[in-house]
């Protein structure tokens, strides 16, 4: 099924839909005490609404991204013209970088290096399409709660929390615009309550008039002195790979397994994805080759943890928006079925 | 040994294993590893800011403790080693960052620096993640759609090594 079709159907009338959904959400809350299932649907319904707002609205603003001791500021312009989505992200400090995202492609421009990277995009447009298993995992693994109201980027915001029930996952807090449901701020914190990563708008105009010009790339990237790097079409060819994670952390279950192309590799790479309903962990297994050397062991970038190891003649890379313990346990327990 | 200490710090050992590992921490090398991993962890989280002269004061106070298991005084050596390791990691992170802008950095030099970091910091290295793995992963993460372009903030910060290929 063509994903853009459903997006087009979703159309631009998100505000109206959010308003219609509000009583539904209220009802779901009321039903909580008697029907736990309503709770599950509410968490996933919330995710679906928030995803729809990010996709359907027109907005322009400044995003601050904090991870560890680093702070990066970017300008974001998002346009949805009758179902056709286009987005432009430009960093405001450091060497210039630009990301242009359209329905089926992501282009990254690195003007100093004169490189344009083209990544075909195969987002499954996950919402509203969490499977029943994922919906159940969501309630089994997190306490989803409505938190305080406040202001973010000068807008009235409602906070929501996903409190993890164990230390295999991070806690998450989201602030959304009370009028439109658009995500204004997202925070990831560890079990000690320390902030691991945070995205936040510092100024934002929703329902802005966004012209085609505003989302156009600054560079064409096709002139003779630029290099274009294009990734193969990204999809997972679903099949049994014979690989298994021996000790899957509680609450995670496998959502997809198969082979995929990964840039610059001749052989296809094994890709397994495990999800707890809110976040995912990917396991990549590939033949050790002459091509770029990889650092072994744990590493981290903001809310993403990675663990790389060798197993027989393979390199195993496990990464996800989870604590280091989770990726480590999965990497260390990899086995052939 | 390093692996066991690391697992202990991650809370992955059961009580029996933890007892064995703790016993090994009494060995100076074990203790040096333990301190090293913690200092690196602190440095990575940005929570390890020590006041000037900390090592000296710490060593003095430690020496003043009625320690039974101290065959030989080793003032501040573990910490000195740990800081050297942390500095090595920071240097690699910096190389990664700078390399993005210029793409001129000698790959061999980077690989060498990386090797050093891998040896010295088995705990956690703050380094960038290959963008293609990250992008491939993000397609399947349930949180990606609600953040819109947000996740690309992560991957766009990365491409140094990838762009060179």
């Amino acid at each position: 099924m063509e994903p853009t079709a459903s997006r087009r159907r979703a159309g631009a009338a998100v505000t109206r839909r959010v308003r219609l959904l509000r009583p539904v959400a209220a009802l779901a809350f009321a039903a909580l005490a008697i029907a736990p299932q309503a709770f599950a649907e509410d968490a996933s319904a919330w995710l679906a609404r928030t995803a729809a707002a990010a996709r359907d609205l027109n907005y322009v603003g400044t995003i601050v991204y904090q991870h560890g001791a680093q702070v990066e500021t970017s300008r974001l312009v998002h346009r949805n013209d009758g179902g056709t989505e286009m987005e432009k992200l430009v960093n405001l400090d450091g060497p210039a970088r630009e990301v242009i995202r359209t329905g089926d492609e992501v282009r990254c421009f690195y003007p100093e290096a004169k490189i344009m990277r083209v990544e075909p995009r195969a987002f499954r447009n996950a919402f509203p399409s969490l499977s029943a298993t994922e919906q159940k995992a969501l309630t089994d693994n997190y306490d989803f709660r409505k938190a305080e109201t406040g202001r973010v980027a000068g807008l009235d915001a409602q906070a929501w929390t996903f409190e993890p029930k164990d230390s295999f996952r991070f806690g998450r807090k989201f602030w959304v615009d009370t009028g439109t449901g658009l995500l204004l701020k997202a925070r990831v914190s560890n079990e000690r309550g320390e902030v691991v990563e945070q995205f936040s708008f510092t100024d934002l105009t929703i329902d802005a008039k966004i012209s085609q010009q505003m989302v156009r790339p600054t560079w064409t990237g096709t002139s003779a002195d630029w290099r274009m790097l294009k990734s193969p079409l990204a999809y997972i060819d679903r099949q049994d790979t014979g690989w298994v994670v021996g000790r899957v952390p509680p609450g995670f279950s496998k959502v997809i397994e198969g082979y995929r192309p990964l840039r610059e590799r001749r052989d296809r790479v094994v890709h397994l994805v495990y999800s707890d309903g809110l976040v995912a962990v990917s396991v990549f297994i590939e033949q050790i080759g002459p091509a770029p050397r990889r650092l072994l062991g744990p590493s981290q970038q903001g809310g993403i943890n990675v663990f790389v190891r060798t197993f027989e003649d393979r390199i195993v890379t496990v990464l996800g928006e989870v604590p280091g313990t989770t990726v480590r346990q999965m990497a260390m327990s990899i086995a052939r079925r | 040994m390093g692996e066991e200490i690391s697992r202990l710090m991650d809370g992955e050992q059961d009580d029996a294993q933890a007892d064995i590992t703790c016993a090994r921490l009494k060995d100076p090398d074990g203790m040096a590893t333990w301190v090293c991993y913690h200092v690196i962890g602190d440095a990575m989280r940005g929570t390890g800011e020590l006041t000037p002269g900390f090592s000296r004061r710490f060593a003095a106070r430690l020496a003043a403790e009625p320690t039974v298991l101290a065959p030989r005084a080793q003032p501040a050596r573990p910490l000195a080693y740990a800081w050297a390791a942390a500095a090595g990691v920071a240097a690699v992170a910096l190389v990664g960052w700078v390399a993005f802008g210029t793409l001129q950095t000698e790959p061999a030099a980077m690989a060498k620096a990386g090797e050093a970091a891998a040896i010295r910091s088995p705990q956690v290295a703050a380094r960038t993640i290959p963008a293609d793995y990250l992008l491939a992963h993000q397609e399947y993460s349930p949180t990606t759609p609600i953040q819109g372009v947000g996740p690309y903030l992560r991957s766009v910060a990365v491409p140094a090594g990838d762009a060179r290929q």
Side-chain angles (χ1 to χ4, degrees), chain B residues 31-87:
Chain B
M31 181 47 80
T33 308
W34 167 267
V35 172
C36 176
Y37 289 6
H38 275 282
V39 173
I40 290 169
D42 287 347
M44 290 303 124
R45 286 187 296 272
T47 54
E49 290 171 33
L50 303 178
T51 51
F54 173 84
S55 309
R56 188 174 32 76
R57 292 197 308 277
F58 178 79
R61 283 182 61 179
L62 186 66
E65 292 273 341
T67 312
V68 189
L69 289 151
R72 217 177 301 142
Q74 292 200 325
R77 264 193 58 210
L79 270 180
Y81 171 66
W83 278 117

Side-chain angles (χ1 to χ4, degrees), chain A residues 7 10 17 50-57 59 78 80 85 125 127-128:
Chain A
R7 249 186 295 146
R17 197 166 57 196
T50 311
R55 187 185 62 214
D56 297 342
L57 294 167
Y59 47 95
H78 183 271
N80 189 320
E85 219 189 331
N125 290 300
F127 297 100

Side-chain angles (χ1 to χ4, degrees), chain A residues 52-126:
Chain A
R55 187 185 62 214
D56 297 342
L57 294 167
N58 288 298
Y59 47 95
V60 52
T62 306
I63 293 188
V64 173
Y65 169 43
Q66 292 166 260
H67 55 108
Q70 303 223 39
V71 179
E72 288 161 41
T73 312
S74 305
R75 189 76 178 155
L76 175 69
V77 187
H78 183 271
R79 181 176 198 242
N80 189 320
D81 182 18
T84 309
E85 219 189 331
M86 199 162 174
E87 194 161 48
K88 179 175 178 177
L89 179 75
V90 183
N91 71 325
L92 299 179
D93 30 44
R97 293 166 267 161
E98 190 169 298
V99 180
I100 304 289
R101 183 170 72 98
T102 54
D104 52 4
E105 201 178 74
V106 177
R107 286 176 180 238
C108 305
F109 295 86
Y110 310 103
E112 289 204 350
K114 289 205 165 24
I115 284 174
M116 174 174 72
R117 279 183 35 203
V118 182
E119 301 278 349
R121 177 170 167 271
F123 279 158
R124 56 175 182 160
N125 290 300

Side-chain angles (χ1 to χ4, degrees), chain B residues 72-163:
Chain B
R72 217 177 301 142
Q74 292 200 325
R77 264 193 58 210
L79 270 180
Y81 171 66
W83 278 117
V89 174
V92 172
L94 188 66
V95 167
W97 186 252
V98 170
F100 162 72
T102 63
L103 296 177
Q104 300 300 331
T105 311
E106 211 33 62
M110 279 192 64
K112 209 166 173 193
E115 251 167 40
I119 294 160
R120 283 169 163 179
S121 61
Q123 180 51 23
V124 162
R127 64 167 128 76
T128 51
I129 298 159
D132 38 0
Y133 290 83
L134 203 52
L135 287 169
H137 166 73
Q138 280 170 353
E139 287 164 33
Y140 293 94
S141 178
T143 38
T144 301
I146 74 165
Q147 299 196 349
V149 86
Y152 292 99
L153 291 168
R154 294 190 192 115
S155 44
V156 82
V158 174
D162 303 303

Side-chain angles (χ1 to χ4, degrees), chain A residues 211-249:
Chain A
S211 67
Q212 182 80 46
Q213 189 57 40
M214 290 166 75
V215 285
R216 219 166 256 159
T218 310
W219 299 273
T220 57
T222 49
S223 52
D225 53 340
W226 276 66
R227 253 200 312 157
M228 184 172 90
L229 302 170
K230 192 163 181 170
S231 299
L233 190 62
Y235 66 91
I236 297 185
D237 184 7
R238 283 171 181 259
Q239 53 181 288
D240 188 340
T241 62
W243 289 93
V244 64
V245 173
R247 290 189 296 136
V248 178

